[in-house]
Amino acid sequence: MDHGAMGHGGHEHHMGAVAGLPMAERADDRDGLRLDRLHVPLGPALPDWPAGLVLRLELQGDVVRRAEVDPVPTPSASGPAFWNEPWLRAMAGEPVTVGEAARRQCAAHLDSLGRLLGVAGWSDAAERARGARDSLLGGAGRDELVPRVRPLMRRLRRSWTLRWLLAGVGVQARGPVGGDAHSRLIAWLDAIEHDLGAVDDSERLPARPLRGPRGRVDTGTPPSQSLLDALPDLLAGAEFACARLIVASLDPDLDELAPQQLPGGHGHG
């Protein structure tokens, strides 16, 4: 019998193929067991998922051993990133009111909040957050919005179920995403309630600092780049079920990564 023909020369003791499909590799897990390593992509099109984001996860059992952010193709942009538009217009020297910026920031946080609540399974609350977002973008005034939004904020703040679900998830000691997923949720609620009080303010937006929904927009590095950079460390060691909660609690906006076409033909980023 020709052992070469049996494949001993190239026989794989660690990997094989069944019906032409490669088998998963094995490696020690964190408990010293040898488990299959599965390579699973997440994105770019999932419900309540940052548009365009692709993550490559290496799983052992239900634990994320390693995560990588796929290189993000630079999207084309015909104008400023939508959520940062008021601050980018201010950078270009256009008159922008405090109310315009507060309205856009409040809507952006409600958009992120709706995404996180949707992933957490709070569909009704997610829809209410999205409804308030749409009303804000449609020009609703403070007197109309406050009675709709504040009861939702109170409910989310007082929810022990949400605290139990999000506390300790995606913990980062410091930086723009410091704390855990629940503390990031509370930060959004604080910002939403603060900005609601200013949506009708007609004063001109100060020239500095220009801080959009995800951070400073005048530093040359898009705030969402820092969020993407934080993802691999936050996801490594997390249970798979928590991975989407972590991503939703950061909610990077990939539109920020495109070269920004500012009003007046100026470029940025």
Side-chain angles (χ1 to χ4, degrees), residues 83-88 90-91 96-98 100-106 108-109 175-177 191 194-195 205-219 221 223 226 256:
W83 293 120
N84 290 343
E85 183 189 4
W87 298 272
L88 296 175
M91 282 179 61
V96 177
T97 68
V98 170
E100 288 179 82
R103 182 176 295 276
R104 191 63 61 92
Q105 179 148 275
C106 193
H109 289 320
V177 291
H194 177 270
D195 290 330
L205 186 69
R208 291 289 187 278
L210 294 173
R211 184 179 294 278
R214 292 169 175 81
R216 293 280 297 268
V217 302
D218 54 351
T219 62
T221 301
S226 299
E256 290 184 355

Side-chain angles (χ1 to χ4, degrees), residues 30-98:
R30 60 184 178 182
D31 298 321
L33 303 174
R34 291 187 67 77
L35 296 175
D36 291 342
R37 291 186 301 180
L38 300 178
H39 298 271
V40 177
L42 283 183
L46 291 171
D48 297 312
W49 183 258
L53 176 63
V54 178
L55 296 178
R56 304 282 175 185
L57 304 184
E58 180 183 300
L59 300 176
Q60 275 191 303
D62 62 349
V63 175
V64 177
R65 295 301 304 266
R66 184 178 304 157
E68 293 180 355
V69 178
D70 243 19
V72 179
T74 302
S76 60
S78 57
F82 178 77
W83 293 120
N84 290 343
E85 183 189 4
W87 298 272
L88 296 175
R89 286 172 47 214
M91 282 179 61
E94 285 194 13
V96 177
T97 68
V98 170

